[in-house]
Amino acid sequence: MITSTTGPQPADFADVRATNLAVVLRFVREHAPCSRADIAASTGLNKATVSSLIADLIDRRLVRETGLTENRVGRPATMLVLDGSPYAAIGVEINVDHVSAVATGLAGERLLTWRRAFSGGDSVNQGMANVGAIVRRVVSRMAKEDRQVLGLAVAVPGLVDVQGTARIAPNLGWRDADIGGDLAKALRDPGFPIQVDNDANLAALAEQRFGAHAGASDLVYLTGEIGVGAGIILDGRLRRGRLGYSGEIGHVQLDPDGPACHCGRRGCLEVMAGVGAVLRKDLSPAEVQMEIEEAVRLARAGDPGTLATLDAVGRSLGKGVSILANLLNPEVVVLGGYYVPLAPWLLPAVHDELGDRVIASEAGGCQVVASTLGHDAAALGGAARVLDSIDSGRLPGGLSRIP
Ligand SMILES: [Zn+2]
């Protein structure tokens, strides 16, 4: 928290006020229903400041009074909750054969969940035109509900640099795609920020905000698709690295004599522990879904070949998770995508490998769990990223009440 006692310049004052607005908004998010006095007592801001900040948040329709009061010693206190009814946060995930879109309200409540068939087309331009058409429909749906879009974050399976350019998205066949710029054009400069990030990074943010281990400050999310990538949250923050390329655990080599990886190397984690290792080769995305369901059916029926395959994949995955546990000491590694239905057969082998390979006892406290957020975790994470920006002080509307 920033408090000011030294006669700041006006610009500094605006910063201080924006920061304090964010502090109060986060407090209401976490503790609602709560009173102005609760906020003052917990944040250390004085009561007059809290009243002024709350008036501003009510003006922006980010917070509202419930009409309920709580009787404290003598004086009833009006209770506050998040409002946000005029707003929406949008997350979109571009996949090989579909686009997922999620819109949430300020409190994270789902307003919309879409999955639309998508063709990347013959070029990035054509692919982006298709994505743009889907996103335009989401935005106009929110407009029809009289909601202002706070922001849009787009998840891409591939290397996305810190400027938001998708440098390499191998499964889409895209290189150097300025997805944010293309979408801004498709939406005709929509007036809200557009962010682009790697799918694993955004899925990790979804877990941090909405998952079974929400609030964990050291969490790794592993995408369980044909490709395997990691979204890494350490000390409460997403860690992207120098250029934004962290988390490419899928191309850590587990076996120099292992099968060829599409990256041109051999024995990468993703060819040994990605869902491709469970399946026949060269399936279409729609066939992958069916094959995974078939593998689950066979595993349930105790089919020895399927059980042996899943054990081998679980062991390779366990080697990868052990590297993460030794290197990062996460509290939890969340398995996403197709790992979720396969988890009952993968996790025993993963736990064995962790026990053997992590130098700290009890794997350094690292739990490995299946995601509970479903297949649109990365899209949900896009919405989470927008809410994160609001919580860190990028509030909608002007600072109209600066004295
Ligand atoms: Zn590779």
Side-chain angles (χ1 to χ4, degrees):
M1 166 145 6
I2 298 175
T3 51
S4 170
T5 53
T6 56
Q9 298 301 302
D12 297 333
F13 197 95
D15 284 351
V16 169
R17 188 160 175 93
T19 304
N20 285 341
L21 283 167
V23 166
V24 171
L25 182 65
R26 282 201 303 272
F27 187 88
V28 176
R29 179 189 292 290
E30 284 160 23
H31 299 94
C34 59
S35 69
R36 289 168 177 80
D38 296 335
I39 298 168
S42 300
T43 61
L45 293 164
N46 72 50
K47 284 184 186 171
T49 304
V50 168
S51 287
S52 158
L53 294 166
I54 287 293
D56 195 335
L57 293 172
I58 289 174
D59 270 3
R60 294 166 194 259
R61 296 188 60 191
L62 293 166
V63 166
R64 67 184 170 85
E65 294 180 335
T66 60
L68 297 171
T69 55
E70 196 170 89
N71 281 313
R72 306 281 163 94
V73 197
R75 219 157 48 126
T78 305
M79 302 309 275
L80 301 161
V81 293
L82 281 186
D83 179 3
S85 52
Y87 300 113
I90 300 178
V92 167
E93 177 182 3
I94 304 175
N95 257 303
V96 178
D97 67 330
H98 69 274
V99 169
S100 297
V102 167
T104 75
L106 187 68
E109 73 278 19
R110 290 266 187 138
L111 304 173
L112 171 151
T113 305
W114 280 1
R115 193 180 169 109
R116 295 285 183 268
F118 161 71
S119 152
D122 296 329
S123 66
V124 175
N125 287 345
Q126 211 177 352
M128 282 312 302
N130 296 344
V131 176
I134 295 168
V135 173
R136 265 203 310 275
R137 289 208 293 277
V138 177
V139 171
S140 71
R141 167 66 74 87
M142 290 300 106
K144 269 191 202 126
E145 293 180 11
D146 290 326
R147 288 179 184 268
Q148 179 192 332
V149 176
L150 295 166
L152 161 68
V154 182
V156 183
L159 292 185
V160 178
D161 69 18
V162 285
Q163 278 81 39
T165 300
R167 287 294 168 201
I168 306 171
N171 297 325
L172 295 170
W174 292 1
R175 276 182 174 271
D176 300 326
D178 176 16
I179 291 171
D182 288 351
L183 278 179
K185 268 183 231 147
L187 296 169
R188 299 190 184 86
D189 297 319
F192 53 75
I194 300 174
Q195 305 175 82
V196 183
D197 208 334
N198 167 268
D199 56 350
N201 285 350
L202 290 182
L205 289 183
E207 293 292 341
Q208 187 191 32
R209 187 176 276 265
F210 300 114
H213 290 257
S217 56
D218 301 282
L219 176 151
V220 177
Y221 181 94
L222 283 181
T223 59
E225 308 289 339
I226 302 292
V228 179
I232 300 166
I233 290 171
L234 287 181
D235 303 321
R237 290 185 50 202
L238 195 56
R239 302 294 168 172
R240 293 189 176 78
R242 170 90 172 85
L243 298 176
Y245 303 157
S246 70
E248 288 300 325
I249 183 96
H251 300 285
V252 165
Q253 190 180 56
L254 295 185
D255 178 2
D257 302 318
C261 179
H262 69 83
C263 74
R265 299 168 187 85
R266 303 199 77 84
C268 292
L269 180 132
E270 83 178 33
V271 282
M272 300 187 64
V275 293
V278 181
L279 309 170
R280 289 178 289 121
K281 300 296 165 213
D282 302 322
L283 297 170
S284 73
E287 290 170 321
V288 169
Q289 173 74 38
M290 276 160 37
E291 285 266 315
I292 294 290
E293 284 166 15
E294 178 63 4
V296 168
R297 192 189 67 76
L298 288 169
R300 280 207 186 110
D303 175 64
T306 304
L307 293 176
T309 301
L310 289 174
D311 182 68
V313 168
R315 290 197 182 281
S316 294
L317 181 59
K319 287 177 189 166
V321 174
S322 302
I323 293 169
L324 293 169
N326 276 320
L327 202 59
L328 305 174
N329 186 212
E331 173 185 334
V332 60
V333 174
V334 182
L335 305 180
Y338 292 116
Y339 285 143
V340 175
L342 299 173
W345 299 280
L346 298 176
L347 283 175
V350 170
H351 288 133
D352 279 356
E353 294 295 320
L354 276 175
D356 285 351
R357 292 171 188 274
V358 179
I359 186 158
S361 65
E362 309 289 330
C366 174
Q367 301 177 63
V368 186
V369 300
S371 173
T372 55
L373 295 180
H375 256 288
D376 53 8
L380 183 61
R385 171 130 180 220
V386 172
L387 296 178
D388 285 351
S389 330
I390 303 299
D391 283 357
S392 60
R394 197 156 72 197
L395 303 184
L399 290 170
S400 55
R401 280 177 176 257
I402 290 177

